[in-house]
Amino acid sequence: MIKKIAVIGAGTMGHSIAGVFALYGYPVNLFDAYEETLKKVKKTMKNELLELVEESLFDEETVIRALGNITLCNKLEDAISDRDYIIEATPENIELKRNLFATMDKLAPDHAIFASNTSSLPLNEMLVSVSDERKKRMMVNHWYNPALLMPIVEMSFFGNMPEEIFEEVEKLFKSIKKQTIKVLKDVPGLVANRIQQGVAREVFSLIEQGVAEPAEIDKALKFGPAFRYATTGQLEVADLGGLDIWCTVSDNLLKEIDNSTCANPILREKVKEGKLGIKSGAGFYNYNPDEIEKVRKEFNRRLIHQLKASEFYIK
């Protein structure tokens, strides 16, 4: 049974993943090699967790207890030497991850399960330097950002791991109220990101063509397809609408839809101009520096409300 957790990397995803486990009572060791990151992370986590209190998702006592469940570590061995489940959330660099897993293989207990939060790097290339026994206890567990609020975790089942170990990790995620996706084939992007990129490609193309302003395109998505997708999957939508109708519309539309295999020129141009979105103050929208925190909190607030509403539909 998985009781003790370690998270490797205290950045955006890592500290948030640690926070989720801590909220549900798991003792979590959070490791980062950079002292400056560790000095700031507890304050960051406290602020993020208190937002959940403001929206009545958790009470303040639970948040205080969660913060007490987290131990900060600047030595890898201290972080993982007695852990049952260890997930890394380090930069998307295959050599870095491969070396990290090789080192952890020597320092962690034999029974420990290793996971990577990647959605773009192949598992087979990350596990080449670990023991044959550890290969059976390694997987991808891809969370969505922000991990505190997004219910999904994609779980690899690529043939290296026995069913009972997979089920043990799945049980862990169910205990923290995550919705797990069992991914059977190691493809770049797994499932959710591939779907998201398909939508994003057409959205960027519509802007490039001048079909509508960014705010109008976002509105079309929010109150059109995405309104249904919050509670109904695409295959359900197709069944309910009639597969014959979907087949006809697909024949008519797909030849008109963007099929590019690289980033849209308008997206690339914004990156070249330094317009990176909220972190630079401009992207497809402009952001007043004094209101960036307000925008971020409003984004989280909408996700929290969606999370509350989704509980009715979760099976």
Side-chain angles (χ1 to χ4, degrees), residues 20 24 37 45 101 132 181 190 241 250 269 271-272 282 290:
V20 177
Y24 287 91
T37 301
M45 295 177 76
F101 283 124
D132 289 341
I181 311 301
L190 302 178
S250 295
E269 184 62 27
V271 172
K272 184 178 177 181
D290 297 329

Side-chain angles (χ1 to χ4, degrees), residues 253-266:
L253 278 188
L254 287 179
K255 60 181 176 287
E256 306 292 340
I257 286 176
D258 185 21
N259 64 354
S260 57
T261 58
C262 58
N264 188 283
I266 198 169

Side-chain angles (χ1 to χ4, degrees), residues 6-283:
V7 179
I8 310 304
T12 300
M13 289 302 295
H15 81 258
S16 194
I17 290 170
V20 177
F21 283 118
L23 276 170
Y24 287 91
Y26 288 93
V28 183
N29 287 346
L30 177 59
F31 167 82
D32 203 285
Y34 296 98
E35 281 290 344
E36 285 302 309
T37 301
L38 290 178
K39 284 179 183 177
K40 299 174 183 176
V41 74
K42 268 286 181 85
K43 183 179 179 181
T44 300
M45 295 177 76
K46 182 177 181 180
N47 291 339
E48 291 175 354
L49 291 171
L50 286 176
E51 287 182 14
L52 307 183
V53 176
E54 291 173 15
E55 296 294 332
S56 303
L57 204 60
F58 291 92
D59 58 40
E60 191 168 355
E61 183 180 338
T62 301
V63 165
I64 292 170
R65 191 162 55 243
L67 290 168
N69 288 335
I70 297 170
T71 301
L72 302 181
C73 304
N74 61 6
K75 293 182 179 178
L76 184 60
E77 184 173 7
D78 293 344
I80 68 174
S81 62
D82 67 343
R83 300 289 103 172
D84 305 313
Y85 171 85
I86 304 163
I87 182 168
E88 67 82 18
T90 60
E92 291 289 270
N93 179 298
I94 189 65
E95 187 174 352
L96 184 154
K97 292 183 189 290
R98 186 186 297 131
N99 292 338
L100 173 63
F101 283 124
T103 301
M104 292 199 307
D105 190 29
K106 299 171 185 174
L107 300 175
D110 291 342
H111 74 273
I113 297 167
F114 291 178
S116 173
N117 184 52
T118 188
S119 71
S120 63
L121 298 176
L123 179 63
N124 280 342
E125 291 188 22
M126 288 187 280
L127 54 67
V128 293
S129 298
V130 304
S131 67
D132 289 341
E133 283 304 307
R134 187 75 70 185
K135 286 181 172 69
K136 300 174 185 176
R137 310 182 76 82
M138 279 187 64
M139 65 194 308
V140 171
N141 289 160
H142 176 237
W143 299 53
Y144 247 50
N145 186 33
L148 276 171
L149 304 178
M150 297 295 286
I152 186 176
V153 177
E154 294 174 303
M155 301 178 60
S156 69
F157 191 62
F158 298 155
N160 62 299
M161 172 177 282
E163 183 87 34
E164 59 267 22
I165 297 177
F166 178 90
E167 290 174 355
E168 186 179 358
V169 181
E170 187 175 42
K171 185 177 179 181
L172 170 69
F173 285 126
K174 287 181 179 178
S175 76
I176 59 173
K177 295 189 177 180
K178 292 299 179 184
Q179 294 297 302
T180 57
I181 311 301
K182 188 175 187 179
V183 184
L184 303 177
K185 188 174 182 180
D186 196 353
V187 295
L190 302 178
V191 177
N193 273 349
R194 289 174 75 103
I195 295 170
Q196 181 174 245
Q197 282 296 320
V199 173
R201 179 170 60 183
E202 187 58 28
V203 164
F204 297 144
S205 176
L206 289 168
I207 293 170
E208 183 188 23
Q209 294 176 64
V211 174
E213 292 295 319
E216 298 301 304
I217 292 172
D218 272 354
K219 190 192 298 183
L221 181 59
K222 287 189 291 187
F223 297 103
F227 192 83
R228 287 192 301 219
Y229 292 156
T231 58
T232 312
Q234 176 58 63
L235 302 180
E236 289 179 283
V237 169
D239 274 355
L240 290 167
L243 299 186
D244 52 336
I245 295 171
W246 272 89
C247 188
T248 299
V249 173
S250 295
D251 283 340
N252 292 336
L253 278 188
L254 287 179
K255 60 181 176 287
E256 306 292 340
I257 286 176
D258 185 21
N259 64 354
S260 57
T261 58
C262 58
N264 188 283
I266 198 169
L267 185 63
R268 199 178 300 281
E269 184 62 27
K270 285 192 178 291
V271 172
K272 184 178 177 181
E273 293 172 354
K275 295 180 179 179
L276 307 179
I278 195 168
K279 63 183 176 182
S280 68

